[in-house]
Amino acid sequence: MKSTKRLAAVVLCACVMVCAFALAACSGAPEAASDSAATAEPESETKAEPEAPAPEEGADPVELQIFAANSLSKAMEEVQTLYSQEHPEVTFADTQYEASGTLNEMLGAGSYADILITASKGTMDAAAEAGYIDDVTRFDIFINDLVIVAGSDSELDKVELEDLASGRYTLAVGDANVPAGNYAKQSLTTTDPQCWISEDGTIGKDCLGTEGTFVGTPLEGLVTEGSSVGNVCSYANSGDVDVAMVYSSDVYRFGGVKIVSTVPANTHKAIVYPAAVCADSTQTEAAAAFLDWAFTDEEAIKIWQAWGFELA
């Protein structure tokens, strides 16, 4: 009987030891796996480290301030939106759209901008002479046509430059700060008789179109001058004047007017839109990158063309 009890005790003891080893083995397996995972995770992080600085640098937020000619407003807004979609780190401050001469006045008064785009070579020349731009970054982006427009509902179908010398039509043009107005006045010096007389007696392409008078010409008392091409278009659209002289792209931008003739290109200086990075910009690389993209990217070019701009 004692032998039987002793044998049962031995068997029971053996079973307890087997179970203990089994439990130890089971509890040890997850622990080992956990240690392995803990070891592998830092190793994975270490491998990813060399690639981390590039996206961080690319994600640094940049805000660009652009000063641009009035006529660019609609197209530029679309181009900026597209650029920010492709480059989410870049945003744009409240872009200033003014007459080109006014933009120079703003820079002269201490306003900050990263990029300047004017609607005439002359105003960009003035900006360069005053030190407002980095002249090395300057390039021509668009060319344009000068056109005579009437309101969409006007019965006028054709009014050419020489017709203005008849004195039968009221006219709207831009003032001295509006490049489109300068080009218009240059053209008006070439009519017979002259419809605008420059202060220094120059004519056509030799004329700046800034200083002069309508007094003593067939247009005396018939001209309304606007502070922007938008105003000039609105005078024709509303019927306040018979015709106006603006850029062909303004017809796309404002609507409400129709082209009744194109002014001969040889009567005024070439209509060119130059762009440049501003001398005081603190974001010169980002500004230059945007300008390069804006006038080489296929989708951006489609936007400019849709608004009537022709790349230079």
Side-chain angles (χ1 to χ4, degrees):
M1 186 72 174
K2 286 182 180 179
S3 298
T4 304
K5 287 182 178 180
R6 188 179 294 113
L7 179 59
V10 170
V11 170
L12 178 62
C13 183
C15 289
V16 169
M17 290 178 67
V18 169
C19 290
F21 280 112
L23 288 170
C26 290
S27 63
E31 196 172 338
S34 175
D35 289 345
S36 174
T39 307
E41 191 174 346
E43 187 178 344
S44 175
E45 289 177 356
T46 304
K47 288 180 181 178
E49 270 182 15
E51 297 177 5
E56 283 178 7
E57 289 179 3
D60 286 344
V62 173
E63 184 179 67
L64 295 177
Q65 176 69 69
I66 297 179
F67 279 15
N70 260 319
S71 50
L72 296 174
S73 62
K74 298 292 186 181
M76 180 64 80
E77 288 168 6
E78 290 188 18
V79 168
Q80 288 176 350
T81 298
L82 180 61
Y83 191 72
S84 290
Q85 289 172 352
E86 295 187 10
H87 304 80
E89 75 281 4
V90 179
T91 57
F92 296 90
D94 184 20
T95 300
Q96 298 299 299
Y97 300 107
E98 299 286 351
S100 298
T102 303
L103 294 175
N104 276 350
E105 290 174 1
M106 291 167 63
L107 291 172
S111 295
Y112 174 86
D114 295 296
I115 293 170
L116 175 66
I117 306 176
T118 67
S120 77
K121 178 180 179 295
T123 47
M124 190 62 82
D125 288 344
E129 290 172 8
Y132 302 152
I133 63 165
D134 178 359
D135 207 31
V136 174
T137 66
R138 174 178 174 173
F139 66 104
D140 294 336
I141 53 177
F142 300 124
I143 56 177
N144 217 327
D145 292 319
L146 185 67
V147 295
I148 299 176
V149 299
S152 297
D153 297 330
S154 171
E155 295 181 357
L156 295 173
D157 291 322
K158 188 173 184 180
V159 178
E160 298 185 330
L161 181 65
E162 285 295 334
D163 295 327
L164 300 177
S166 68
R168 296 196 307 267
Y169 304 101
T170 54
L171 172 69
V173 296
D175 64 23
N177 276 332
V178 181
N182 304 149
Y183 294 124
K185 290 165 185 172
Q186 291 165 16
S187 293
L188 291 169
T189 64
T190 67
T191 60
D192 185 19
Q194 281 183 263
C195 287
W196 191 77
I197 300 171
S198 63
E199 192 173 80
D200 59 5
T202 52
I203 295 174
K205 293 182 178 181
D206 296 327
C207 174
L208 292 177
T210 53
E211 303 295 333
T213 183
F214 290 102
V215 176
T217 76
L219 288 177
E220 181 176 353
L222 300 177
V223 178
T224 300
E225 295 191 64
S227 59
S228 69
V229 286
N231 289 339
V232 174
C233 271
S234 69
Y235 296 143
N237 180 24
S238 64
D240 289 343
V241 297
D242 296 319
V243 292
M245 298 177 75
V246 296
Y247 297 134
S248 58
S249 58
D250 295 325
V251 178
Y252 293 84
R253 186 162 67 110
F254 296 110
V257 293
K258 61 183 180 182
I259 297 174
V260 292
S261 71
T262 299
V263 177
N266 62 0
T267 63
H268 57 78
K269 294 180 185 295
I271 300 174
V272 178
Y273 285 66
V277 176
C278 292
D280 292 336
S281 172
T282 59
Q283 304 285 353
T284 54
E285 289 186 11
F290 169 72
L291 283 177
D292 178 66
W293 175 91
F295 305 106
T296 58
D297 180 81
E298 288 185 7
E299 293 306 312
I301 290 172
K302 288 178 183 177
I303 293 173
W304 296 119
Q305 290 175 336
W307 286 99
F309 291 100
E310 184 179 348
L311 290 174

